[in-house]
Amino acid sequence: MKTSYSLTLFGSALLAVFQANAAGTLVQEMSKMTVSTAGAGSAVLAENASVAYSNPAGMSYIDGDALSVNAAVMDLGIYYHDDIEPSKSSDNAGGIQPYGSLYYVHQLNDDVHLGMSVSAQGGSALDYGTSYAGALNLNALKLSVIQFNPSVSYQINSKVSIGAGLQIDYASFEETLLYGQGSLETDSWTLGYNLGLMYQLDEYNRFGISYRSRMNHDLTGSFTSEAMTISIPIPGPVPGSVAKNIPAMSGQAGLNVLNPRQIEVSGLHQLTNPLSLVWSLGFEQWSDNDSTMISINNGNRISQIERNFDDVWSAALGARYQLTSRLRLESGIGYATSPLEHPEYQGADLPVDAQHRYSMGATYQWDKDISLTTYYSYVDYGEPEINNNGMNGQFDNVNQFLGITINMMFN
C-alpha cells in the first residue's frame, strides 16, 4: 500500500506541475523575428530569411539566397507572494537565459523557394527552491522545445504566393520536486505542419495569413525519488496535517504536453515614403487542451479531464520609420488574452495571465547585402492569482528580451 500511495502522490505532483505548463511552451519572441514591433506584421513582412518560419509564402519575395542568424537573451522574472504565510513566498524563480535561431532561404527558380528554420519554440527554466509554499509539487524545472522547419513557397502570380512547411519538434523536460527529493527527465519528438499565403494588393499594401498545426508531445523518460517523510494537510474546518513515510522510488514516466494550433493575419501599409504601419491579429486554440495523462511504470494512470483553458486572442500594432537611407526605427505594442482565469487551476511552472508587450528596435543597412536588426521588448505577464496545491497567493511576472539579428543576402 505504501508503494501505491507513493506512486499516486508522485503522479499528483506531476499533474500539479503540468496544470499550466503547456502555456509556457510558446514564447513568440524566440522564433518570430518581429520582436521590435511586438509581433506586429509577423505573417506579412518578407525582408529576410526569417520569413521562412513566420510565413513560408513570403519566401517568394526573396531574390536569391538569404541567411538570418539571431542571438538573444531573455530575463524572466517570476515572483510568488503567499497571502497566508509570507515566509512561504519566493524570490525570483526565473533569470537570464540565452537563446538563438537560424533561418535560410534558397531560390530554386523564379517561382519556387526552399527554406529551413531552426528555432526555440519556447520553454522556461525556473528554480523556486525547497522552502516556498509549492515545494511539494515543484522545486526547479527546465523545459525546452526546439523546432526544425523545412518549407517551400510557390509564386502563383504577381499578387499571390503560397507556402507550406513541415514542423519537427524536439522537446525535453527536466524537473525536481518533492522538496528536492524527486527528479524527472523526459523527452519526445513530434511532427506537424504550417501553411501560409501572401497577397500584394498594390504597391503600398500587402496582407498575409499563416497557420501552424497543433503539436502533441508525448514525453517519456524516468523518475527517481529518495525516501522521505512529508506532511500531508488534512482538509476540514480545523487545519491539520498527518506525517507520511514515502519510500525511495524509481521507474518510467510518461506525460503529454500540447502546443495548440495557431492562425495569424497581418497587414503592411506604406503610408508615406518613410513611414509604414504593420499589424497582426492572432488566435491560439488552447481550449483544445482538455486533458493531461500521466503514466507511471505503465500501470498507475492518472487523468485530469477538466483543464479549463480558454482560447487565446492577440493583437499587435507597430510602426517603422526610415530615418535615413541606412537606418530604420521600429516600435510596437501587443496584447494577448489569458488562457487561464481560474486561481484553482494555476500552476507554479509558468503562471499565466493576459500579456502586454512594449517593444522597440532598429534596422541598420550595413551594405547592400547585410543588415543588422537590434530589438528590445518588455512583456508584462500579469499578476495571476493561485489557490491550488498548497499555494494561496499571487504571482508578479515579467519578461524582457534583448537581441540582434544578422541578415545576409546572396544574389
Side-chain angles (χ1 to χ4, degrees), residues 223-245:
F223 73 86
T224 59
S225 68
E226 302 295 330
M228 73 193 87
T229 299
I230 64 173
S231 178
I232 304 297
I234 299 176
V238 180
S241 62
V242 60
K244 291 289 184 180
N245 295 319

Side-chain angles (χ1 to χ4, degrees), residues 22-345:
T25 60
L26 293 178
V27 181
Q28 68 176 36
E29 288 81 3
M30 288 187 169
S31 52
K32 295 180 179 179
M33 294 298 97
T34 49
V35 184
S36 61
T37 57
S42 288
V44 75
L45 292 174
E47 299 172 336
N48 54 61
S50 67
V51 72
Y53 175 88
S54 57
N55 187 344
M59 294 189 295
S60 295
Y61 289 83
I62 302 295
D63 291 327
D65 294 359
L67 174 68
S68 293
V69 181
N70 176 60
V73 295
M74 75 174 189
D75 185 5
L76 177 62
I78 303 288
Y79 297 87
Y80 171 65
H81 308 282
D82 197 90
D83 292 340
I84 307 300
E85 295 185 56
S87 63
K88 295 294 186 179
S89 301
S90 76
D91 295 328
N92 183 16
I96 296 176
Q97 303 170 34
Y99 65 93
S101 53
L102 181 69
Y103 313 89
Y104 183 73
V105 173
H106 171 66
Q107 184 174 12
L108 195 61
N109 54 48
D110 289 342
D111 297 324
V112 179
H113 287 68
L114 304 177
M116 183 66 188
S117 305
V118 181
S119 62
Q121 293 300 285
S124 55
L126 303 178
D127 189 352
Y128 285 98
T130 59
S131 60
Y132 82 113
L136 172 66
N137 299 308
L138 173 63
N139 307 131
L141 67 78
K142 182 178 180 181
L143 172 68
S144 178
V145 183
I146 305 297
Q147 184 172 106
F148 304 89
N149 188 194
S151 55
V152 60
S153 71
Y154 180 73
Q155 184 80 38
I156 295 177
N157 54 45
S158 60
K159 290 183 176 291
V160 180
S161 61
I162 57 175
L166 175 66
Q167 299 180 112
I168 308 169
D169 272 16
Y170 174 74
S172 64
F173 178 74
E174 302 174 7
E175 176 197 353
T176 58
L177 67 164
L178 301 176
Y179 302 102
Q181 301 302 303
S183 64
L184 172 74
E185 295 184 7
T186 61
D187 64 357
S188 74
W189 290 88
T190 193
L191 298 176
Y193 64 93
N194 60 302
L195 305 171
L197 180 145
M198 279 198 187
Y199 176 70
Q200 189 75 42
L201 179 63
D202 54 37
E203 182 181 355
Y204 305 104
N205 299 279
R206 184 195 305 159
F207 300 92
I209 183 170
S210 64
Y211 171 84
R212 306 191 82 85
S213 70
R214 61 178 284 172
M215 306 284 284
N216 288 305
H217 282 281
D218 292 319
L219 294 141
T220 58
S222 61
F223 73 86
T224 59
S225 68
E226 302 295 330
M228 73 193 87
T229 299
I230 64 173
S231 178
I232 304 297
I234 299 176
V238 180
S241 62
V242 60
K244 291 289 184 180
N245 295 319
I246 308 299
M249 296 180 292
S250 64
Q252 300 298 310
L255 44 94
N256 69 289
V257 176
L258 170 72
N259 282 350
R261 57 178 57 89
Q262 309 164 61
I263 189 168
E264 182 176 4
V265 179
S266 300
L268 166 64
H269 310 283
Q270 192 71 44
L271 301 185
T272 65
N273 186 34
L275 178 64
S276 63
L277 292 182
V278 287
W279 56 266
S280 288
L281 298 174
F283 170 78
E284 298 177 6
Q285 196 173 7
W286 282 104
S287 63
D288 203 26
N289 189 7
D290 58 358
S291 66
T292 295
M293 183 69 71
I294 305 292
S295 173
I296 299 176
N297 282 341
N298 298 316
N300 190 7
R301 303 183 70 87
I302 305 168
S303 178
Q304 176 187 339
I305 301 301
E306 188 178 7
R307 292 298 298 270
N308 283 296
F309 275 119
D310 297 321
D311 293 330
V312 171
W313 297 86
S314 62
L317 178 65
R320 310 187 309 162
Y321 188 84
Q322 195 71 43
L323 188 63
T324 71
S325 60
R326 289 179 178 265
L327 180 63
R328 184 179 68 208
L329 305 181
E330 303 157 0
S331 64
I333 56 174
Y335 173 78
T337 62
S338 174
L340 193 59
E341 298 289 349
H342 309 286
E344 63 270 23
Y345 290 100

